[in-house]
Amino acid sequence: MQFEYDVIVVGAGHAGCEAAVASARLGCSTLLITADMNRVAQMSCNPAIGGIAKGQIVREIDALGGMTGIIADRTAIQFRMLNRSKGPAVWSPRVQSDRTRFIDEWRKTLDDTDNLYMFQDMVVGLMIEEEGTKKMVSGVETALGIKFRSKKVVLTTGTFLNGLMHFGRVQIEGGRISEAASHGVSDQLKALGLNVGRMKTGTPARIDGSTIDYENVIVQSGDDEVLSDGTVIRDFHKFSYLPNVKRELTPRDCYIVHTSPEVHKTLHDNLADSPLYNGQIKSIGPRYCPSIETKIVTFSDKESHQLFLEPEGETTHEFYINGFSSSLPWQVQIEALTKIPAMRNVQFYRPGYAIEYDFFDPTQMRHTLESKLVGNLYLAGQVNGTTGYEEAAAQGLMAGINAARSAMELEQIVLGRDQAYIGVLIDDLVTKGVDEPYRMFTSRAEFRILLRQDDADMRLTPIGHSIGLADDYRYEKMMMKYSERAKLVEWCECTSIRPTEELQVFLENAGTGRLSGRVRIADLLRRPQLNFENLIPLLPVLALRCLDVEDDRRAEIIESAEILIKYQGYIDRERESAEKMSRLEKVRIPDGMDYEGILAISTEGRQKLSKIRPATIGQASRIPGVSPSDINVLIVMLRN
């Protein structure tokens, strides 16, 4: 039994699992401590991975060498590419997952990772030592009184720090249903100077799918074509870029139902028992994932809200009611749901509830996710004020990478806003802070056409490979894809065709002009109405060329090539803007800069700069309250 490690990770949620595996694979002896080893990477809320911007994050995790995308593919029961009707900058993959299989796959991954050890216990305190005036973490102490020492500690405790659940007026301490809250760490870190706040999230009831009336639902299938025996005959997309990672589970449908004025009246009549409206809950909730009671108050003019009934697994009867998060008493939840025709006989597995928990001000972290106030301590996930599995996993991956590299005395990794949504996420947290649970959206990224889901491997796999997290096989496959895509784009730019009458008729019917003579295939593809899929049947030369593309990733490479051809002008302009911004990122600000002494900077600017202490001019320019004139003053000061 070892009691000393390079890195200790506290908590085995999505952040903790990614952090622990990354640290161990980079060569550090790593201990993962969790209260229940059978619930690692638990999907506490909806049984899904990905979504708008979140899907891009999962592909970035995969590109760097993380595990969330691989495990999501292996446990997927439905796949959809969201936002297909819009431009490729906002296309976002999403899967429904088998929640139990997801846990099992993560547990197998943890068990099979060299240098990674696990221990089941609750951490109640951090071991702190002083190095001069600096406080440094040197390990953790558990509820059993065991002391584990380490060079670095990664805190990924999710909603467990002083967690309090609300079921109407009933309050139960816990990190999530049937699991105990964690006490001690918050108070200790608060005493060390970290700002501690409270946030709130919630989850809907889980119901027995056998009690749903399927004659009154709208079926929502995934992107796969499925035979009557359940065999998938066309696999459009997945998360992992590795061709040997397959989706194997039988697809399942989701279902759509709608609330009604009768449902809303039942909810409204009982708002006095809602912790959100009777003063029982005082913390901040998620703006973009509101409870059903918040929806009927905020959008009182709407007579109906859409709900999604999502299966929790390949074979289970358990369903999740997406859109009906609630902390109302369980009796009210049942009464309201039974007024929806498809759920008039609904049977609960468990009611919805709200949960309040502690988080730490993320502006007190560095971009490496290390605390500015307590050395050797890294924080990731909901403890930083975020919400969502994907945001947590991304932070966990980066915290694990940086804790391990710091333990080995190597340079730590910071991703830029033009490199990854992960870079946008962390920069937003550290630079701007949070006043509500942070959720990633494509609109948060100023360079989102550079951060597409189709080429995250080309952006990030070289980084993952250079630090030893992405293996040679992954890197070789990325380089092969890059080469194949470039060759296909060049061929389309250089190859011209003479229009046939069949093509001319098709162009007219598609709502685009006829051709007057020979035309390059790339110019055809630039027309909004045309793409590889509808041109291949009409152009034998194109069909033959596409057959030369690597078979196991043909669809992926063709899609990526088409995006480059159609949007190259936009991509080039955005890259030029990103390069201009990157110049400001290279202008570093000395750690000890005395902002209060620079009277030419506005009072608000001095206060914000003193609090956040940005590392570069680029970061300083994104701090709310720091004006362009303040930045100009800083630049002049640094030049002098």
Side-chain angles (χ1 to χ4, degrees):
M1 182 71 185
Q2 296 181 41
F3 296 91
E4 190 162 338
Y5 298 86
D6 293 320
V7 176
I8 291 175
V9 179
V10 181
H14 301 267
C17 287
E18 284 287 4
V21 170
S23 171
R25 286 184 175 170
L26 291 179
C28 286
S29 61
T30 305
L31 178 65
L32 176 60
I33 303 177
T34 179
D36 190 342
M37 290 169 56
N38 297 314
R39 296 195 186 194
V40 298
Q42 169 84 290
M43 289 181 159
S44 308
C45 206
N46 62 320
I49 292 291
I52 305 301
K54 294 168 176 282
Q56 283 91 323
I57 287 176
V58 177
R59 298 214 91 185
E60 291 174 355
I61 290 170
D62 181 74
L64 285 164
M67 289 302 301
T68 296
I70 292 172
I71 291 174
D73 286 337
R74 288 175 179 166
T75 61
I77 56 174
Q78 185 188 102
F79 183 98
R80 295 180 67 222
M81 183 65 78
L82 307 183
N83 275 346
R84 269 291 195 182
S85 62
K86 301 178 181 178
V90 295
W91 292 356
S92 302
R94 182 182 189 269
V95 298
Q96 292 294 135
S97 299
D98 185 308
R99 187 165 55 89
T100 302
R101 296 277 192 97
F102 193 87
I103 292 171
D104 292 343
E105 282 290 333
W106 257 117
R107 177 61 191 272
K108 184 177 187 303
T109 298
L110 297 171
D111 285 339
D112 291 347
T113 299
D114 292 338
N115 298 320
L116 178 55
Y117 304 86
M118 296 181 71
F119 191 75
Q120 182 165 304
D121 200 350
M122 190 80 78
V123 169
V124 295
L126 303 175
M127 296 162 60
I128 305 293
E129 295 180 355
E130 292 188 12
E131 292 186 9
T133 59
K134 182 86 172 183
K135 305 289 186 182
M136 311 291 284
V137 169
S138 59
V140 302
E141 184 172 355
T142 74
L144 292 175
I146 302 174
K147 293 182 178 180
F148 293 102
R149 298 189 67 83
S150 64
K151 297 176 183 176
K152 310 291 172 182
V153 172
V154 182
L155 195 65
T156 68
T157 47
T159 60
F160 280 76
L161 294 181
N162 294 327
L164 180 64
M165 297 178 289
H166 299 263
F167 303 79
R169 295 184 183 274
V170 176
Q171 297 179 332
I172 301 173
E173 285 193 356
R176 57 185 168 226
I177 198 163
S178 301
E179 295 184 66
S182 174
H183 300 285
V185 175
S186 282
D187 291 340
Q188 183 184 20
L189 290 178
K190 186 176 182 179
L192 291 170
L194 274 71
N195 295 329
V196 181
R198 295 283 279 176
M199 280 189 174
K200 168 262 172 189
T201 189
T203 192
R206 308 308 197 271
I207 61 173
D208 183 347
S210 65
T211 64
I212 297 171
D213 180 355
Y214 292 97
E215 292 185 358
N216 287 296
V217 301
I218 300 169
V219 178
Q220 184 185 56
S221 300
D223 289 348
D224 300 317
E225 294 179 11
V226 185
L227 298 177
S228 58
D229 64 357
T231 304
V232 180
I233 60 172
R234 190 174 183 187
D235 190 1
F236 280 84
H237 286 283
K238 57 191 182 72
F239 278 117
S240 181
Y241 292 98
L242 295 177
N244 59 351
V245 174
K246 304 294 184 183
R247 290 168 45 212
E248 301 170 352
L249 302 188
T250 303
R252 287 190 69 176
D253 292 329
C254 295
Y255 306 96
I256 299 173
V257 297
H258 294 84
T259 61
S260 65
E262 292 75 23
V263 175
H264 297 181
K265 184 176 187 306
T266 297
L267 297 170
H268 197 277
D269 288 348
N270 289 277
L271 286 180
D273 288 322
S274 168
L276 290 173
Y277 290 95
N278 63 13
Q280 191 171 306
I281 290 178
K282 298 180 175 63
S283 53
I284 312 162
R287 179 200 307 261
Y288 301 105
C289 189
S291 66
I292 188 64
E293 49 264 44
T294 299
K295 287 180 184 178
I296 66 165
V297 172
T298 306
F299 307 104
S300 57
D301 57 319
K302 291 190 177 295
E303 294 189 344
S304 176
H305 292 285
Q306 191 169 246
L307 307 178
F308 296 88
L309 308 182
E310 302 175 346
E312 294 262 9
E314 183 183 28
T315 60
T316 182
H317 287 185
E318 187 173 358
F319 273 74
Y320 173 94
I321 314 174
N322 195 335
F324 203 85
S325 175
S326 180
S327 59
L328 282 161
W330 64 267
Q331 300 94 326
V332 177
Q333 295 181 42
I334 288 182
E335 183 183 350
L337 287 171
T338 54
K339 293 179 178 176
I340 298 172
M343 291 192 281
R344 60 179 179 268
N345 296 314
V346 71
Q347 180 81 21
F348 270 15
Y349 281 136
R350 58 185 181 275
Y353 61 93
I355 179 169
E356 292 183 285
Y357 56 94
D358 288 350
F359 79 99
F360 302 104
D361 179 2
T363 64
Q364 294 181 307
M365 294 187 303
R366 306 182 195 281
H367 279 74
T368 58
L369 297 181
E370 183 179 12
S371 169
K372 293 176 181 177
L373 301 180
V374 181
N376 300 331
L377 175 64
Y378 293 77
L379 299 99
Q382 284 179 279
V383 291
N384 289 335
T386 62
T387 182
Y389 311 141
E390 302 81 5
E391 290 89 342
Q395 293 172 71
L397 177 67
M398 298 310 298
I401 289 172
N402 285 328
R405 288 181 66 81
S406 180
M408 295 185 288
E409 298 184 357
L410 298 172
E411 183 182 359
Q412 299 182 64
I413 304 297
V414 174
L415 299 176
R417 296 180 70 91
D418 61 333
Q419 288 180 293
Y421 273 96
I422 297 174
V424 175
L425 164 66
I426 294 173
D427 185 65
D428 279 353
L429 293 175
V430 173
T431 304
K432 302 175 183 178
V434 294
D435 55 11
E436 62 186 43
Y438 180 100
R439 178 179 179 178
M440 180 53 73
F441 291 101
T442 53
S443 58
R444 295 191 190 274
E446 55 269 61
F447 304 119
R448 55 184 174 273
I449 201 166
L450 300 181
L451 307 183
R452 306 182 313 277
Q453 57 82 33
D454 66 283
D455 70 347
D457 52 344
M458 289 180 242
R459 288 185 275 119
L460 299 176
T461 296
I463 296 174
H465 185 256
S466 70
I467 65 174
L469 193 59
D471 61 19
D472 291 343
Y473 173 76
R474 180 184 287 277
Y475 184 75
E476 289 164 6
K477 285 297 183 182
M478 181 277 298
M479 290 300 294
M480 188 180 298
K481 173 184 170 182
Y482 180 85
S483 175
E484 292 259 317
R485 183 182 72 169
K487 290 176 184 176
L488 181 57
V489 170
E490 183 181 10
W491 183 88
C492 290
E493 293 285 1
C494 297
T495 304
S496 61
I497 55 100
R498 190 183 304 279
T500 63
E501 185 57 30
E502 181 185 18
L503 177 59
Q504 299 283 36
V505 171
F506 174 81
L507 295 176
E508 280 189 338
N509 292 337
T512 185
R514 293 171 68 96
L515 301 175
S516 58
R518 294 186 70 89
V519 65
R520 293 184 306 167
I521 290 176
D523 289 332
L524 277 178
L525 287 166
R526 289 189 181 99
R527 296 190 180 193
Q529 302 88 344
L530 304 181
N531 52 47
F532 274 96
E533 186 175 0
N534 58 27
L535 285 178
I536 284 174
L538 298 166
L539 304 176
V541 65
L542 179 61
L544 286 172
R545 177 62 183 82
C546 289
L547 286 175
D548 288 338
V549 176
E550 183 186 358
D551 182 61
D552 59 359
R553 292 191 298 170
R554 182 176 296 140
E556 179 184 344
I557 292 169
I558 289 173
E559 176 186 86
S560 190
E562 182 177 301
I563 291 170
L564 274 190
I565 291 168
K566 283 183 176 293
Y567 297 95
Q568 191 64 59
Y570 297 102
I571 293 169
D572 289 344
R573 284 198 294 274
E574 201 158 277
R575 186 169 287 116
E576 185 178 337
S577 297
E579 287 170 358
K580 289 179 181 177
M581 187 188 81
S582 70
R583 290 197 285 269
L584 293 179
E585 299 298 334
K586 294 175 183 176
V587 182
R588 300 199 64 81
I589 302 173
D591 286 341
M593 175 70 80
D594 178 17
Y595 297 106
E596 292 297 339
I598 309 175
L599 300 182
I601 295 178
S602 67
T603 301
E604 183 181 8
R606 295 199 304 272
Q607 291 172 346
K608 293 292 182 67
L609 289 166
S610 296
K611 175 187 175 185
I612 296 173
R613 307 207 67 79
T616 68
I617 289 291
Q619 294 166 19
S621 69
R622 295 188 293 275
I623 298 174
V626 177
S627 68
S629 62
D630 293 335
I631 295 300
N632 287 334
V633 171
L634 264 182
I635 291 173
V636 171
M637 291 288 296
L638 291 174
R639 282 176 179 165
N640 290 340

